[in-house]
Amino acid sequence: MFTVGSGTFGINVMKVREILQPVDVTLMPHMHPHVQGIIRLREEIIPVIDLAKAIGFSQPDQSSADKLIVAEMNQMKVALHVHSVSRIHRISWEQIEKTGTLGQGLDDVTIGVIKMEANMILMLDYEKIVYDILPENGMKSAAVDTSRAAKRKNKTILLAEDSSILRELLKNTLTEAGYEKLMFTQDGKEALETLDSNHDKGEIDAVITDIEMPLMDGHHLTKLLKEERGYRELPVLIFSSLITGDLYHKGQRVGADAQISKPEIANLVEELDRLLAVK
């Protein structure tokens, strides 16, 4: 949990590599106005994003409480300049609610809110923030093999992804590949409801799910589908920036048929072809 201006925010600790005291930055020509500069951290060059500017919050004078949160998203490291870091809270995904009207004007970059006793913690769409500031370093629509497009067009894919920018990128890449019948949901709970409402029709051929989502995460969704909901034969592919170490093994334990790490979006098409026997 950390603060920016008068706001309180959270970031998944799995994305955090370390927390630093602010250091001198090197300015670069033609920098985005929300980038303070770059720093060198153990031979890596990392951009520093002024999170207050990125979300339109007021900027108090820099103090000794300021911190740099070094985070890794989609195989890219960035340093987020925040105004204080308080503590780690252990919560369940069910505690993260959709923002609705609670986003304090941040609806386009807020994916959820956690109601605590003293305040509300907003979960930002960090992938979208980084992509908007550094599009050349973010996840991009990938060139894909379109030779099997005709065989893909009749397959219906259900996707659970809470990030608006990633939904758009997935739509562009999969549609270009020939997977034109796409059904998008924003969390595991909505995906499960969509599956149940279409169960008798047998229209959905595969599920692609993120891990981090409000209300129901991708691991829980996969477990329900594979063990409790009668969807054992339905291919489930996890597509997330958190597929490392223990979380990869957790994906295996809950029965995921494939796991692809963002931003390897081209591999997503190849895995779908394999799971759906598209040749």
Side-chain angles (χ1 to χ4, degrees), residues 55-98:
I55 61 178
F57 270 35
S58 61
Q59 293 181 289
D61 293 336
Q62 186 165 323
S63 74
S64 59
D66 282 27
K67 294 290 186 290
L68 297 181
I69 298 176
V70 179
E72 185 169 3
M73 290 165 284
N74 304 331
Q75 300 179 18
M76 176 190 176
K77 288 183 181 177
V78 297
L80 305 173
H81 187 168
V82 304
H83 300 143
S84 71
V85 174
S86 57
R87 55 167 293 188
I88 294 173
H89 290 274
R90 187 174 182 85
I91 62 168
S92 68
W93 292 107
E94 289 82 359
Q95 290 175 259
I96 304 177
E97 302 178 22
K98 291 184 178 178

Side-chain angles (χ1 to χ4, degrees), residues 162-174:
D162 59 344
S163 172
S164 60
I165 189 67
L166 292 179
R167 287 197 300 272
E168 185 65 24
L169 290 166
L170 284 165
K171 178 182 177 182
N172 292 342
T173 299
L174 292 175

Side-chain angles (χ1 to χ4, degrees), residues 209-211 217-224 226-227 236-240 242-260:
T209 180
D210 189 13
I211 293 177
D217 67 281
H219 283 147
H220 191 188
L221 171 64
T222 304
K223 181 179 173 64
L224 288 177
K226 293 299 184 179
E227 295 183 2
V236 178
L237 194 157
I238 294 177
F239 184 56
S240 170
L242 297 179
I243 301 177
T244 55
D246 291 342
L247 288 182
Y248 177 81
H249 295 303
K250 185 172 183 179
Q252 290 180 313
R253 289 197 300 272
V254 298
D257 296 283
Q259 300 182 75
I260 301 292

